[in-house]
Amino acid sequence: MGKLEGKIALVTGGSTGIGLATAKEFVSEGAYVFMTGRRESELNAAVKEIGSNVTAVQGDVSKLDDLDRLFAQIKQEKGKLDIVFANAGIAKYAPLGQTSEELFDSIFDINVKGTFFTVQKALPLLSDGGAIIVTSSVVGSKGLSSNSVYSATKAALRSFARTWTTDLKPRRIRVNAVSPGTIDTPGLNDLLA
């Protein structure tokens, strides 16, 4: 019997990298996992790789209609959530002075707005005593060149985690931010290319 036996989890950005590895681990520990991603072909491949106890829901966390559709499906199929891993995110680099409004908006829409509304919309389904995990980054507290916008989004996520801990204390919902460093994932490989 695994540590997550009988638990229902949501992993956003679950089709590759950290999200996929987490979804696999959650399933191996006994959880049923809903996972999201923007690219349907990668989601389908991830579901096939995991095998069982997983449902993929294609969508973009920055689009509130997609989130509404996701949570309606979770409510209909399982009726609750125990774990929310708000992991979906993108990274694009541009130095100060060369950052376009489009780049700024795209990163903040997915990383900050998407995480905020994923968690907010999950709350009615989230069990008291449940867990919320957000993916921040070490860059949220470092001053790396050409990273100001991406770094700011990751710092915002750490701030969310701290605030939500106090907001959700009456419901005993734990909130944690994980802040990984460089990890060999498809997203990092695309960024470095």
Side-chain angles (χ1 to χ4, degrees):
M1 191 162 160
K3 296 177 196 173
L4 301 177
E5 198 67 40
K7 302 290 185 188
I8 310 299
L10 167 63
V11 177
T12 66
S15 56
T16 64
I18 293 170
L20 177 56
T22 302
K24 287 170 151 177
E25 184 63 22
F26 283 0
V27 168
S28 77
E29 289 291 343
Y32 190 95
V33 174
F34 288 88
M35 57 190 225
T36 68
R38 292 177 293 153
R39 294 175 297 277
E40 191 167 14
S41 62
E42 289 183 13
L43 269 177
N44 292 338
V47 166
K48 187 175 181 180
E49 188 175 332
I50 293 171
S52 62
N53 294 325
V54 62
T55 296
V57 181
Q58 188 276 330
D60 182 335
V61 296
S62 70
K63 296 180 180 171
L64 300 188
D65 288 344
D66 285 3
L67 289 174
D68 289 338
R69 183 172 44 80
L70 166 68
F71 289 111
Q73 184 169 343
I74 294 170
K75 183 177 182 178
Q76 179 183 11
E77 291 184 21
K78 297 295 182 180
K80 70 168 189 151
L81 277 169
D82 300 293
I83 303 162
V84 174
F85 182 32
N87 171 68
I90 61 169
K92 295 178 185 172
Y93 301 145
L96 183 62
Q98 297 177 23
T99 301
S100 68
E101 181 180 12
E102 178 184 50
L103 182 136
F104 183 96
D105 288 346
S106 69
I107 297 172
F108 265 87
D109 280 354
I110 291 174
N111 295 4
V112 179
K113 176 186 168 188
T115 298
F116 183 88
F117 285 104
T118 294
V119 171
Q120 181 169 282
K121 289 177 176 289
L123 290 178
L125 293 175
L126 193 58
S127 301
D128 289 355
I132 297 168
I133 307 151
V134 299
T135 302
S136 183
S137 170
V138 297
V139 302
S141 57
K142 294 186 177 265
L144 302 179
S145 176
S146 300
N147 271 272
S148 61
V149 176
Y150 175 70
S151 296
T153 67
K154 294 305 184 172
L157 297 183
R158 286 182 46 144
S159 180
F160 282 164
R162 289 181 182 121
T163 306
W164 295 341
T165 296
T166 57
D167 286 344
L168 299 172
K169 184 178 180 180
R171 292 185 57 194
R172 301 176 335 276
I173 295 172
R174 296 176 314 281
V175 184
N176 292 288
V178 294
S179 297
T182 303
I183 296 179
D184 186 11
T185 64
L188 177 65
N189 294 333
D190 290 346
L191 184 63
L192 296 176

